[in-house]
Amino acid sequence: ESNNQISITPVSFNVSNELPKLLIGPLYGNDPTYGIRELIQNAVDSCREREFLEGIDYKGVINVSFYKEGVQLYFKIDDNGLGMSLNVVKNYFLEVGSSLRKSSSWKKEFVDENGNSKIQRSGKFGIGVLAAFLIGDKIILKTKNSSSKFGISLETNLNSEQIEVLKNQKKSVGTTIIVPISDEIFK
């Protein structure tokens, strides 16, 4: 019997696209109020960050609404915070378990030399896109970062293998998230 080991083929750890679906229920009990709370906290944090960078001339505004087009109900949250760049959308908003506010670039901007945040943060969980899926099966995102010349938009659902991110002409800085919802979720 030999102790020689022969490599068959290299393999790597892989996470299925099904994982987010498996996490939502146990973590949040499929309660849509947790999704709404998380999206509001993200909007508040984004407005606080923009206020910190721009000063007292900036006033944060967050609008939360429910509306109907035809027979379809929608949840909508719209803010005039910092907005998201393509990098933030790709590497933080759509990346389950990745928190922008724990990144070195965020800390460089918003954390002092003692490691304390320079702004009060309300979001705690960093679940990004998962929060919206507690409200409905599809997400429409429109955002424009304060340092970008153009905005970006996307539509996705939990079954999307790939998400097409489009350049758009969103004029105002901030983020809008629209989620088609059922009558049951609305109630």
Side-chain angles (χ1 to χ4, degrees):
E1 190 170 293
S2 170
N3 284 339
N4 293 342
Q5 295 182 351
I6 300 170
S7 176
I8 298 170
T9 184
V11 295
S12 62
F13 184 69
N14 194 6
V15 177
S16 166
N17 284 347
E18 297 295 310
L19 185 62
K21 293 180 210 175
L22 297 172
L23 291 174
I24 293 173
L27 283 175
Y28 301 100
N30 290 319
D31 185 339
T33 59
Y34 290 118
I36 291 171
R37 178 198 68 191
E38 186 71 15
L39 293 174
I40 290 171
Q41 287 174 332
N42 289 345
V44 167
D45 286 346
S46 182
C47 289
R48 285 180 177 156
E49 291 162 3
R50 186 170 177 193
E51 181 179 35
F52 176 81
L53 294 174
E54 295 185 14
I56 60 171
D57 291 337
Y58 164 80
K59 297 291 179 221
V61 176
I62 300 168
N63 291 305
V64 176
S65 59
F66 294 90
Y67 65 96
K68 195 172 196 175
E69 285 182 2
V71 296
Q72 181 61 61
L73 288 163
Y74 293 89
F75 166 81
K76 178 179 179 181
I77 183 164
D78 185 59
D79 70 65
N80 70 342
L82 275 182
M84 292 184 275
S85 65
L86 178 58
N87 176 55
V88 170
V89 168
K90 181 181 171 200
N91 295 308
Y92 298 101
F93 182 74
L94 293 174
E95 184 81 21
V96 176
S98 178
S99 174
L100 171 64
R101 291 170 181 97
K102 291 181 181 172
S103 70
S104 59
S105 60
W106 190 90
K107 288 178 180 178
K108 182 179 174 187
E109 192 83 52
F110 299 107
V111 174
D112 67 19
E113 59 278 352
N114 297 321
N116 300 315
S117 180
K118 297 177 187 176
I119 58 171
Q120 181 183 356
R121 290 175 45 202
S122 57
K124 295 173 176 54
F125 302 108
I127 63 169
V129 73
L130 280 186
F133 287 124
L134 288 167
I135 305 164
D137 295 335
K138 178 181 176 183
I139 297 167
I140 302 157
L141 170 77
K142 298 174 184 174
T143 188
K144 182 178 181 190
N145 183 261
S146 60
S147 61
S148 298
K149 293 180 181 159
F150 58 87
I152 56 175
S153 59
L154 62 86
E155 290 186 24
T156 188
N157 61 50
L158 274 176
N159 296 317
S160 296
E161 294 268 332
Q162 290 189 329
I163 301 166
E164 185 176 21
V165 179
L166 305 170
K167 183 177 177 179
N168 70 32
Q169 297 304 314
K170 184 173 177 11
K171 303 246 185 282
S172 59
V173 172
T175 300
T176 302
I177 296 174
I178 301 169
V179 183
I181 60 172
S182 65
D183 290 338
E184 183 182 319
I185 293 291
F186 178 71
K187 288 175 187 162

